[in-house]
Amino acid sequence: MPESLLFGFALAAFSPLIHRFARGATGWVMGALVAGLTVRFALYVPAITAGNPVRTCWAWVPPLGVNVSFYLDGLSLLFALLICGIGSLVAIYAGGSLRGHPQLGRFYLYLLAFMTSMLGVVLADNLLTLYVFWELTSLTSYLLIGFNHEDSRARQAALQALLVTVAGGLAMLAGFVLLGLAGGSFEISVLSGRGPALREHATYLPLLALILAGAFTKSAQFPFHFWLPNAMVAPTPVSAYLHSSTMVKAGVYLLARLSPVLADTAAWTAALSTVGAVTMVIGATLALLHTDLKRILAYTTISVLGGLTLLLGLGTSSAVVAAMALLVAHALYKAALFLVAGNVDHATGIRDVRQASGLARVMPITAAAAVLAAMSNAGVPASFGFISKELIYEAIWGLSARGLPLLAATFLANALLVTTAILVGVRPFFGRRTAMPHMPHETPIALWLGPLVLALGGLVLGLVPARTEPMLAAAATAVEGQPAHPHLALWPGFNVVLALSAVTVLGGIGLYLAWERVRRVVPLATITRFGADRGYDLTLEAMLRFGTLQTRVLQSGYLRFYLIIIILTVVSLAGWALLKGEGVVKLLAGRWPSIYEWIIAGLVPLAALLAILSQSRLTAVIALGTVGYGLALLYLLYGAPDLAMTQFAIETLTVVLFVLVVYRLPPLVRFANWPSRVRDAMVALAGGALMTGLLLAATARPGASSLSPFYAEHSLSDAYGRNVVNVILVDFRALDTLGEITVLTVAAIGVHALLRLLPGRKGPRL
Amino acid sequence: MNGDLFTLLAPELIVIGGAVLALLLGLGASPGARSAPRALALLSVFAAFLVTWYYGPSPAKPLELAGMRFDSLAYYIRLIALSVGALVLLVHWHLPHPAERGDVFAMILFSLAGIMLTSLANDLVLLFLTIELVSIPTYILVSIGRSDIRAQEAGLKYFFLGTLSAALLVYGFSFLYGAAGTTNLSRMQLSPAGGFVTIGLLLAFAGVAFKIAAAPFHVYAADVYQGAAAPVTGLLGFFPKVAGFVALIKLLFLMQPSDLLTAGWNMPGAAFVFLWVVAAATMTLGNVLGLMQTNVKRMLAYSSIAHSGYMLVALLAGPVASGGPLRDGLSAMLFYIVVYGIMNLGAFAVLALIQARGRPAEELDDLAGLGRREPLAALALAICVFSLMGLPPTAGFFAKVYVFSAAISNGAAGWHGLSLIVLAVIGLINSAIAAGYYLRIVATCYLREPVAEPIAEPRTAGIRLGLLGCCIAILVIGVWPGGLLYMSRLPFYDLSAPPAVATHSNAQSPEPAETTEQVYAKEMNS
């Protein structure tokens, strides 16, 4: 089974090359190869339905116990079959609909990479492996939505879909990490056995919330549903494949896969059934208000995804079976309807459902496929959609009084789905023909084969539902964690559920007849203004505003503002620590300075003030030198004569260097105005206050240093010198002195070089 | 790893020797002598790598000598600095004017030697000096050979603010010295409760925050990155960051009790809050500002800031490692920094490559249609950017998983553990925001029409080789992270062993020392 992934990725990588040779037949070649993959998975069916799952595992990051592992059971096999089977039909379809597109080779690269990633999602047994493939599907979906990249709407929609799903994916990753820690393993098959303990775990709620965020964004659940209709700018094969039958089901798959681990708690049931029911109703309602064929289909897809979430949230045996049946039915009819919509667009240039009519005579095969798929969508008897709807009603009817609101929601959504089924699958093909942009014509075989096969598939499964029992049983078993025995019948007999079905269909037809009136009453523009799409826009906008503000405040580009930011931060940080640690009183109760210290303490600030206020650079430089000399004197007072000596030398050199540089500078210009000078003075005073405080705190402490006595004691005994300063300079700190001499020499060379640079003067050669 | 200081320091001496020779050769008049520095630089880095590799990780009891500590952290940092350093040299290959080659390659080597010495420093004074040895050459590199005013401005800003941060750092160190009474890091036993410790740590953190471009000390980064040449910017994303993070690790270790591996960091509450706020602000500011940019270099500069935030998250999570996979934040950080250094360098290498071909590579528009114009360069850029985004199967993916899982799973009692989870969530949200601008880079390369055809085909073999190295490293680490991960976990096994203090001779412990690998193997078996 991992080899099928390798095969898929290799096929994707070579598809541009294959396209170069196959030319017009690329779609057929790709379709055949993917069909081969489908057969490969079909061969697993006997083993899996007999209850023998397959597992492979390699160590990926052995030190951390992270594996790459794959697991094939009923659930993953069901998905794999859908992914490959529909994939091969879509590959053929794309060959026809994108015929002659200059980037067709690249399209197949993305499409097959997506297909393989999707297979990876459903086959992965390790949570991190699953996440890797999950993000790959988001990424390939981004590339596919943005395939017509000249269109700015396509680029925006692609980015939106990616941002929403990647954000959800990251939340899911956090949830996976928590889950892995709580369960002690990243292997889903191991975690499945630890469900009861995990549901009691302290981190159950956070991890559930995070994982659900991932599943809900991917499967377009309310309020994250908005990206899916916008993604309809993608080429039709992409919409049919990714955004109805496979990728958007990844979230549902995840919920189903983790059901044995996480399901059957109050939180799980409440979250899934509420979100699912709301999504189901909102999706179906919005579908009715749109007129674009693909958007209608996108909203009905959202509705069905909500239904699937609801069913998995209920988690009863019959609900799980109903979910699996709905999954299959929907994948078949929705992909078919999307391809039909693509055919209508292809043949007539029309995407608005109001404009197309009477196409059945010119496009008989497409029309047949459309009607069959619409039957399944509407849940008319003899279609698989009918059987799945029976199962859903049965599951929810079994809930008794508690399920009444859910029953009402399901009924409403299903009735609306009937209406949309008629709108999309029937209305364009019957009635009087109207004027159209292109002369309508039947599409070539590559375009009608896919929808027809899918629609016929729905019919055949609907006629012999018992044949699907083993596969659905295997899938439901995997979801429930205990053997399931579904019973599917072509005709359930007359009962309440059948009556509900009948009323649903009638209600849907009634709604269809009133469609124009409903659309006129409900203002779509008002709804979109408060919709989640708007929320997404506002979030992005707010982020950009925040960024602009940041840029203005923090990134002015002026060095002085950067300095102010740094100084103020440090002052507040260290000042806080100082006051907290030492206290004001303790600071002021320090040692009283001596007269010499007072003199220096007077001299240094005065010199500094002079440096700031002076109008000439030379004065400022000399004043700065005085500050340095004052500091050197302080060193001398505190018993560091060697340091003082160095400081004197450095200060002298610095002044000389400064003077040389100043000589070449243009005259001093005063840039700052009064307010900014006051501000600068405040900042400087704050910095000075901090330094004073720190100094007071430091001097108030008994010195931990034993350096001075050490020198005095060891000067004679170790270094045979009575002059302690000399000994320090040439013996104890000989290397320092060497370094200082080097620095002074280098500085002197710099002075020399500057002297030679002076205009009109030739310095002596070295 | 026997012998005297000169043997132990052989890798550093080789690099510094190479730098001095390169500097001298660069002064030569003949063209041959002037082109020698780069080969010499690469050779010395290679030789130093081999020597370090040959010495291997430290024994279970690291040797301490002359204010240095030869432990596995140093081993790891030396290896990664030299590996990424070699890539940095390659990316610089064609950049400098022949007359400045000696200077440029010498400065890179000096900075590199600074990183290696930082990892060895076991004394506050030496730590300060080595960090400055990393920084000062970078000030020169930013403005060297660039006559345009922006580069000059960038160099000046960088220098002034860098000096200020160095002053903060050393001032903080002086308080730590005042609190401990010694500058030797192994003998410093700081109590987090001390007032001086908090002041010293906060000041030192502020100084380090500048080196790693963490908020609010990040303000210079975008201007400097934009002004410097693309290869230099690639270097700036790695060299000062490594030095800064190594210093942070060393500072945090000053307060650790012996049960570090199970209890997590022991630090003053104020320091924790400071690092937490800095990490959150760094990630958020970096990414939100990144969203605003149309200049690719500024965009990547902000991304660099944001990535410092992610690494701070991992560092804060600390070296708690028992009780589950993917928990060790310290090794996550050490892992991340290498991956970040490589992917960041790779992205800038692509810009350098385009520039070397005589086309501008500043604005996003300059990259339009790169996928059509130069498919390989565009692919390399896509790999690097996807890695920066954290998408599988690149190295950035695993690095990010490791970092955030360490923070999420820290599980420290009380508000510590909870605040780390909040921090991880902020980081995850930020990763999503960052995707917004990273994708714009890739989208511009692939989804937009090229503006013009490539102009010249000058010699760019060095850059291309460096870029190839980056891409291969990203993919190989992405697919098989085990090797680097094993290496990044070495330092953490040192923690369990107390240091062997050797004064002037190499004191061998009487009992046969357990090697790190043995400790490691034991843990894996248990």
Side-chain angles (χ1 to χ4, degrees):
Chain A
M1 136 191 63
E3 71 278 355
S4 59
L5 294 178
L6 280 181
F7 174 72
F9 279 127
L11 196 57
F14 285 113
S15 52
L17 199 69
I18 295 175
H19 176 59
R20 192 167 295 174
F21 289 111
R23 283 286 137 204
T26 316
W28 295 102
V29 175
M30 292 294 174
L33 287 169
V34 178
L37 205 56
T38 321
V39 173
R40 173 83 191 83
F41 278 107
L43 293 178
Y44 278 112
V45 171
I48 300 297
T49 47
N52 304 315
V54 187
R55 184 168 186 274
T56 20
C57 177
W58 295 283
W60 183 26
V61 194
L64 301 177
V66 177
N67 300 321
V68 173
S69 51
F70 298 101
Y71 189 69
L72 189 69
D73 61 359
L75 182 65
S76 27
L77 184 60
L78 181 65
F79 269 90
L81 285 172
L82 286 177
I83 292 163
C84 294
I86 298 179
S88 72
L89 292 173
V90 165
I92 295 170
Y93 183 90
S97 76
L98 294 173
R99 170 180 289 274
H101 194 290
Q103 305 287 322
L104 190 57
R106 195 191 280 186
F107 179 82
Y108 277 109
L109 168 67
Y110 299 158
L111 190 75
L112 292 171
F114 163 77
M115 183 193 80
T116 316
S117 314
M118 191 64 211
L119 275 179
V121 169
V122 300
L123 294 179
D125 189 29
N126 183 285
L127 288 172
L128 291 181
T129 317
L130 194 154
Y131 174 77
V132 168
F133 286 112
W134 182 280
E135 290 299 42
L136 280 178
T137 62
S138 296
L139 191 68
T140 42
S141 153
Y142 165 74
L143 292 169
L144 285 167
I145 297 173
F147 185 65
N148 289 322
H149 49 73
E150 293 83 13
D151 184 358
S152 75
R153 275 188 321 136
R155 291 203 300 265
Q156 268 171 18
L159 191 63
Q160 185 186 50
L162 187 63
L163 282 180
V164 173
T165 49
V166 164
L170 284 168
M172 184 184 82
L173 176 62
F176 280 177
V177 170
L178 281 178
L179 180 60
L181 286 165
S185 168
F186 282 121
E187 306 299 312
I188 299 172
S189 49
V190 175
L191 290 170
S192 297
R194 299 181 186 164
L198 273 166
R199 289 191 278 269
E200 300 288 312
H201 200 273
T203 54
Y204 171 75
L205 276 182
L207 74 86
L208 178 68
L210 288 166
I211 291 175
L212 288 186
F216 287 174
T217 48
K218 195 79 163 182
S219 279
Q221 298 294 300
F222 180 82
F224 309 114
H225 61 281
F226 54 87
W227 69 264
L228 187 56
N230 291 340
M232 289 303 128
V233 291
T236 304
V238 174
S239 309
Y241 191 37
L242 274 70
H243 305 126
S244 74
S245 47
T246 54
M247 189 185 89
V248 290
K249 300 265 172 66
V252 174
Y253 167 79
L254 184 71
L255 297 177
R257 174 51 79 207
L258 293 180
S259 276
V261 188
L262 301 173
D264 289 338
T265 61
W268 167 279
T269 311
L272 264 66
S273 51
T274 315
V275 171
V278 170
T279 310
M280 186 167 71
V281 173
I282 286 186
T285 314
L286 286 173
L288 209 60
L289 300 179
H290 283 267
T291 55
D292 180 279
L293 274 172
K294 283 180 76 179
R295 278 192 168 253
I296 295 175
L297 289 172
Y299 279 111
T300 56
T301 304
I302 292 174
S303 172
V304 171
L305 291 169
L308 286 168
T309 307
L310 165 65
L311 289 170
L312 287 173
L314 298 178
T316 57
S317 180
S318 54
V320 170
V321 171
M324 293 302 118
L326 176 59
L327 185 86
V328 175
H330 176 254
L332 293 175
Y333 74 68
K334 191 51 67 64
L337 284 177
F338 262 113
L339 297 181
V340 164
N343 279 354
V344 170
D345 187 10
H346 185 88
T348 65
I350 287 174
R351 275 177 64 168
D352 193 314
V353 69
R354 288 167 303 182
Q355 290 168 10
S357 65
L359 290 173
R361 254 161 294 160
V362 278
M363 307 172 67
I365 308 175
T366 306
V371 171
L372 281 179
M375 274 171 61
S376 192
N377 189 357
V380 176
S383 68
F384 199 60
F386 169 72
I387 290 166
S388 78
K389 192 158 49 169
E390 296 292 298
L391 289 170
I392 295 169
Y393 277 137
E394 219 174 272
I396 295 179
W397 188 256
L399 293 175
S400 68
R402 178 167 74 91
L404 270 182
L406 296 180
L407 189 66
T410 316
F411 174 75
L412 178 62
N414 274 325
L416 289 165
L417 288 185
V418 172
T419 312
T420 54
I422 302 171
L423 266 179
V424 178
V426 180
R427 183 184 161 122
F429 297 96
F430 299 97
R432 213 155 43 85
R433 258 178 57 192
T434 48
M436 299 182 187
H438 303 320
M439 189 58 208
H441 55 87
E442 182 56 277
T443 51
I445 176 167
L447 290 182
W448 58 252
L449 182 72
L452 191 65
V453 169
L454 288 167
L456 282 175
L459 180 70
V460 169
L461 292 186
L463 290 174
V464 285
R467 300 299 295 270
T468 61
E469 273 175 21
M471 200 55 236
L472 291 182
T477 305
V479 178
E480 280 184 83
Q482 53 198 13
H485 304 288
H487 178 68
L488 278 65
L490 178 59
W491 186 249
F494 290 98
N495 54 20
V496 187
V497 170
L498 184 69
L500 262 173
S501 269
V503 176
T504 310
V505 174
L506 289 177
I509 294 171
L511 260 172
Y512 170 71
L513 295 175
W515 181 61
E516 295 284 355
R517 223 165 306 150
V518 172
R519 265 194 47 247
R520 249 174 285 140
V521 174
V522 185
L524 184 62
T526 323
I527 295 177
T528 39
R529 193 181 311 152
F530 298 105
D533 204 355
R534 187 93 184 99
Y536 167 85
D537 289 344
L538 284 177
T539 313
L540 278 195
E541 218 171 277
M543 218 129 58
L544 287 183
R545 286 233 187 91
F546 180 57
T548 320
L549 184 77
Q550 290 304 324
T551 315
R552 251 204 327 261
V553 176
L554 289 180
Q555 299 296 153
S556 57
Y558 290 111
L559 181 61
R560 54 178 176 277
F561 288 124
Y562 295 174
L563 282 172
I564 289 175
I565 291 171
I566 291 181
I567 290 175
L568 287 184
T569 313
V570 170
V571 166
S572 43
L573 272 179
W576 172 82
L578 186 68
L579 289 180
K580 186 170 167 280
E582 308 290 319
V584 186
V585 183
K586 212 167 144 193
L587 283 183
L588 294 180
R591 184 178 61 91
W592 194 248
S594 71
I595 180 73
Y596 304 111
E597 285 166 313
W598 275 116
I599 294 172
I600 296 169
L603 183 72
V604 169
L606 271 180
L609 207 61
L610 183 67
I612 296 166
L613 294 177
S614 79
Q615 298 290 336
S616 111
R617 282 210 174 83
L618 205 60
T619 322
V621 167
I622 290 169
L624 271 185
T626 315
V627 173
Y629 269 57
L631 290 181
L633 284 173
L634 261 184
Y635 293 155
L636 207 57
L637 275 181
Y638 279 91
D642 49 331
L643 204 55
M645 296 272 283
T646 319
Q647 181 80 16
F648 279 130
I650 294 280
E651 283 302 331
T652 316
L653 248 178
T654 315
V655 169
V656 172
L657 278 172
F658 254 132
V659 169
L660 287 172
V661 175
V662 162
Y663 190 80
R664 297 169 55 79
L665 286 179
L668 198 62
V669 183
R670 182 147 289 172
F671 291 105
N673 49 8
W674 265 108
S676 61
R677 280 178 85 85
V678 170
R679 178 202 60 208
D680 293 350
M682 305 287 270
V683 174
L685 281 176
L690 174 74
M691 297 308 277
T692 313
L694 288 175
L695 201 67
L696 284 174
T699 47
R701 286 236 173 162
S705 160
S706 49
L707 216 54
S708 301
F710 170 85
Y711 285 140
E713 271 172 40
H714 293 78
S715 169
L716 189 62
S717 60
D718 286 11
Y720 306 105
R722 286 180 201 286
N723 185 329
V724 180
V725 176
N726 274 356
V727 169
I728 291 175
L729 281 179
V730 303
D731 195 307
F732 287 121
R733 298 184 48 205
L735 268 178
D736 289 11
T737 311
L738 182 68
E740 281 153 12
I741 291 171
T742 317
V743 170
L744 287 174
T745 317
V746 171
I749 294 173
V751 171
H752 175 78
L754 277 172
L755 277 172
R756 287 189 58 184
L757 279 174
L758 286 182
R761 195 180 306 179
K762 278 255 180 241
R765 293 188 68 83
L766 267 176
Chain B
M1 270 231 322
N2 287 325
D4 57 324
L5 200 55
F6 280 95
T7 324
L8 291 170
L9 281 180
E12 286 75 18
L13 290 174
I14 292 172
V15 172
I16 291 175
V20 172
L21 265 181
L23 206 53
L24 289 176
L25 279 174
L27 292 173
S30 75
R34 283 184 171 187
S35 62
R38 42 189 199 187
L40 182 75
L42 199 59
L43 207 65
S44 56
V45 166
F46 196 59
F49 184 89
L50 284 183
V51 172
T52 314
W53 186 261
Y54 171 74
Y55 284 170
S58 79
K61 293 186 175 176
L63 182 69
E64 292 194 4
L65 190 61
M68 280 177 268
R69 184 179 148 99
F70 295 86
D71 56 9
S72 297
L73 177 68
Y75 172 70
Y76 178 73
I77 297 291
R78 278 161 141 186
L79 281 188
I80 62 160
L82 287 167
S83 325
V84 181
L87 292 174
V88 166
L89 288 174
L90 283 175
V91 173
H92 279 79
W93 207 253
H94 305 283
L95 166 78
H97 189 265
E100 282 162 349
R101 246 176 222 156
D103 304 351
V104 167
F105 285 95
M107 288 308 139
I108 298 174
L109 287 188
F110 277 130
S111 199
L112 196 56
I115 298 176
M116 296 161 75
L117 287 169
T118 308
S119 70
L120 291 171
N122 195 32
D123 189 283
L124 278 181
V125 179
L126 191 62
L127 187 59
F128 172 71
L129 288 177
T130 51
I131 292 175
E132 287 310 296
L133 181 57
V134 177
S135 298
I136 291 171
T138 60
Y139 304 149
I140 299 168
L141 282 170
V142 166
S143 44
I144 201 168
R146 305 254 299 170
S147 49
D148 77 282
I149 187 130
R150 262 208 322 241
Q152 299 297 326
E153 185 190 327
L156 201 66
K157 268 183 198 166
Y158 191 33
F159 172 71
F160 273 130
L161 295 172
T163 316
L164 184 65
S165 82
L168 290 175
L169 189 64
V170 78
Y171 203 50
F173 281 2
S174 72
F175 273 88
L176 292 182
Y177 167 66
T182 173
T183 56
N184 185 304
L185 297 180
S186 309
R187 280 193 229 114
M188 274 184 163
Q189 281 300 323
L190 295 178
S191 147
F196 269 28
V197 176
T198 310
I199 296 174
L201 276 183
L202 287 178
L203 286 171
F205 283 173
V208 171
F210 177 86
K211 305 287 175 203
I212 62 173
F217 305 92
H218 69 288
V219 278
Y220 72 95
D223 297 359
V224 172
Y225 278 38
Q226 190 184 1
V232 177
T233 318
L235 175 151
L236 287 181
F238 184 68
F239 281 20
K241 273 196 174 96
V242 176
F245 273 106
V246 170
L248 262 183
I249 293 175
K250 289 189 182 247
L251 287 176
L252 286 176
F253 268 117
L254 294 181
M255 288 159 296
Q256 300 320 314
S258 50
D259 59 341
L260 177 60
L261 297 186
T262 46
W265 288 129
N266 177 38
M267 65 173 108
F272 183 86
V273 172
F274 175 70
L275 287 181
W276 193 96
V277 172
V278 166
T282 306
M283 291 187 287
T284 312
L285 287 182
N287 282 324
V288 172
L289 286 171
L291 269 186
M292 312 285 307
Q293 306 306 319
T294 55
N295 181 302
V296 186
K297 278 163 92 180
R298 279 187 90 86
M299 212 179 252
L300 290 173
Y302 287 117
S303 115
S304 162
I305 294 168
H307 282 273
S308 284
Y310 303 146
M311 286 184 256
L312 278 174
V313 173
L315 188 67
L316 263 183
V320 180
S322 49
L326 288 170
R327 287 194 73 179
D328 179 6
L330 185 59
S331 104
M333 194 229 94
L334 291 172
F335 184 89
Y336 200 99
I337 201 161
V338 188
V339 172
Y340 174 70
I342 296 172
M343 59 201 186
N344 185 53
L345 181 69
F348 280 107
V350 175
L351 300 186
L353 184 67
I354 300 168
Q355 272 172 342
R357 297 214 165 136
R359 297 181 51 80
E362 292 277 329
E363 294 294 320
L364 208 51
D365 293 342
D366 298 335
L367 296 180
L370 192 69
R372 206 88 40 90
R373 226 166 58 211
E374 293 183 45
L376 286 179
L379 182 67
L381 187 61
I383 290 174
C384 294
V385 169
F386 282 148
S387 187
L388 285 165
M389 252 179 92
L391 277 186
T394 58
F397 162 68
F398 192 77
K400 211 159 257 173
V401 170
Y402 199 5
V403 161
F404 290 129
S405 103
I408 290 171
S409 59
N410 180 267
W415 61 278
H416 256 63
L418 190 66
S419 60
L420 281 172
I421 292 180
V422 173
L423 198 58
V425 171
I426 295 175
L428 288 168
I429 294 171
N430 264 295
S431 306
I433 297 175
Y437 61 89
Y438 287 136
L439 282 171
R440 262 168 66 202
I441 300 181
V442 180
T444 313
C445 289
Y446 280 101
L447 302 186
R448 278 177 50 185
E449 295 307 312
V451 187
E453 292 304 306
I455 300 170
E457 281 289 327
R459 290 161 68 180
T460 51
I463 302 181
R464 276 183 286 156
L465 196 62
L467 188 54
L468 184 70
C470 291
C471 291
I472 290 176
I474 290 172
L475 293 177
V476 167
I477 297 173
V479 177
W480 293 283
L484 181 64
L485 200 95
Y486 165 71
M487 301 278 293
S488 72
R489 301 248 296 172
L490 287 179
F492 133 89
Y493 287 104
D494 273 1
L495 301 181
S496 41
V501 180
T503 42
H504 278 291
S505 66
N506 181 15
Q508 284 288 336
S509 42
E511 76 272 18
E514 204 172 23
T515 64
T516 314
E517 285 89 343
Q518 283 167 333
V519 178
Y520 177 77
K522 251 189 205 168
E523 163 133 326
M524 284 318 295
N525 291 334
S526 63

